[in-house]
């Protein structure tokens, strides 16, 4: 039983650590022009016909980046929670050759801006689950606390990933319909969806670890002790009655 709990706790820790690594990579993609962060992005589009835009544009959490001759991000100053809003001054600052679906709407701006805070919240709870996971190696309560933290992380990470998928798939389709070749960032999407799967697995495994050994043995033992106590008194009473009987 103890070995089972340790094995499940270790497995939950492993999946949680893997999810955290992928979440951090997705979060920091584009923050620096260094490998591997300069290969992670949400969306790439051919924007050479938009005034002032680079030939290829990539959107990340931190900046709208150009692409160098090696196919890596070439980003400028980083700004957290950078929005996906092509016609606004935050991106291209023009509506010329920008797909009309982006014009006159706040949908893409708001959806992309909500991703960042939800991602941070998911990271916080995933980190809590990782640390409490060490308690899960030896205690049931550690498993339940880790499972609860992993569940909260899973909830917010799922929201973030769904928002990401919705806004950038729509953006890709808008650019493609406008004759501007666009594609999704495979690495970023793989990191995000894989982290959702890993958090789900860690949540399930921690719950299994909490359930290990959850039998009525402890209660039955107390009940047996109660019966033993009263039985001993009864036996003592019978003996005294026999001794006093004529």
């Amino acid at each position: 039983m103890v070995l089972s709990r340790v094995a499940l706790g270790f497995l939950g820790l492993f999946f949680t650590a893997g999810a955290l690594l992928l979440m951090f990579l997705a979060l920091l993609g584009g923050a620096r022009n260094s490998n591997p962060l300069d290969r992670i992005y949400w969306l790439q589009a051919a924007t050479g016909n938009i005034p002032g835009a680079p030939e290829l544009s990539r959107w990340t959490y931190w900046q709208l980046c150009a692409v160098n001759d090696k196919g890596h991000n070439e980003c400028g100053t980083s700004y957290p929670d950078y929005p996906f809003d092509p016609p606004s001054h935050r991106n291209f600052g023009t509506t010329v050759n920008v797909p009309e679906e982006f014009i006159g709407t706040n949908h893409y701006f708001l959806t992309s801006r909500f991703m960042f805070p939800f991602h941070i919240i998911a990271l916080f709870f995933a980190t809590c689950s990782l640390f409490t996971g060490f308690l899960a190696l030896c205690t049931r309560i550690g498993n339940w606390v880790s499972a609860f933290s992993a569940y909260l992380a899973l909830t917010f990470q799922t929201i973030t990933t769904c928002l990401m998928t919705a806004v950038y798939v729509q953006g890709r389709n808008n650019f493609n319909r406008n004759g501007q070749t666009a594609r999704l960032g495979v690495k970023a999407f793989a990191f995000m969806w894989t982290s959702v799967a890993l958090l789900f697995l860690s949540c399930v495994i921690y719950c299994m670890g909490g359930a290990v050994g959850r039998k009525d043995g402890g209660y039955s033992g107390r009940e047996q002790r109660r019966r033993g106590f009263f039985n001993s008194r009864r036996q003592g009473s019978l003996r005294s009655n026999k001794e006093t009987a004529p």
Side-chain angles (χ1 to χ4, degrees):
M1 182 184 302
V2 174
L3 288 178
S4 298
R5 183 178 295 132
V6 171
L8 289 171
F10 178 79
L11 200 57
L13 269 175
F14 178 77
F15 285 138
T16 304
L20 268 172
L21 174 62
L22 297 179
M23 291 164 70
F24 272 112
L25 285 173
L27 176 74
L28 298 175
R32 293 177 59 87
N33 296 323
S34 59
N35 190 37
L37 301 182
D38 59 357
R39 302 185 183 189
I40 302 170
Y41 57 91
W42 306 120
L43 176 68
Q44 173 183 296
T47 55
N49 61 345
I50 298 177
E55 287 295 321
L56 290 175
S57 297
R58 288 177 176 176
W59 281 266
T60 71
Y61 266 142
W62 305 92
Q63 185 57 274
L64 173 63
C65 308
V67 181
N68 60 26
D69 54 0
K70 296 181 180 179
H72 299 174
N73 301 346
E74 196 69 43
C75 305
T77 305
S78 296
Y79 301 97
D81 203 6
Y82 193 83
F84 175 53
D85 192 16
S88 75
H89 67 278
R90 301 175 184 88
N91 286 192
F92 301 132
T94 181
T95 58
V96 178
N97 294 327
V98 172
E100 62 181 9
E101 292 86 352
F102 293 120
I103 301 173
T105 178
N106 290 325
H107 165 68
Y108 301 93
F109 171 79
L110 293 175
T111 305
S112 59
R113 288 297 288 268
F114 272 108
M115 288 170 52
F116 190 82
F118 282 134
H119 197 146
I120 296 298
I121 296 172
L123 277 171
F124 171 77
F125 285 114
T127 304
C128 291
S129 180
L130 180 70
F131 284 113
T132 57
F134 290 101
L135 296 176
L137 296 172
C138 52
T139 63
R140 283 178 54 204
I141 188 64
N143 278 280
W144 290 120
V145 172
S146 298
F148 181 68
S149 298
Y151 171 75
L152 292 176
L154 172 64
T155 300
F156 286 101
Q157 184 66 3
T158 302
I159 294 173
T160 304
T161 307
C162 289
L163 290 175
M164 171 204 70
T165 302
V167 70
Y168 287 108
V169 168
Q170 290 175 355
R172 179 201 60 184
N173 295 340
N174 294 341
F175 278 114
N176 283 330
R177 279 194 295 266
N178 201 45
Q180 297 159 301
T181 304
R183 67 180 185 184
L184 301 174
V186 176
K187 293 182 179 64
F189 273 73
F191 291 163
M192 293 292 282
W193 280 110
T194 303
S195 66
V196 169
L198 291 176
L199 286 172
F200 174 77
L201 289 174
S202 65
C203 185
V204 171
I205 289 170
Y206 281 135
C207 288
M208 292 172 60
V212 167
R214 188 179 182 180
K215 306 293 183 183
D216 291 332
Y219 180 76
S220 297
R222 290 193 294 271
E223 193 66 28
Q224 183 64 36
R225 286 194 295 273
R226 294 192 189 100
R227 289 199 297 268
F229 173 73
F230 289 113
N231 285 341
S232 62
R233 290 189 61 183
R234 184 178 179 184
Q235 291 171 2
S237 300
L238 289 174
R239 289 195 203 97
S240 62
N241 290 336
K242 289 179 180 179
E243 292 172 354
T244 57

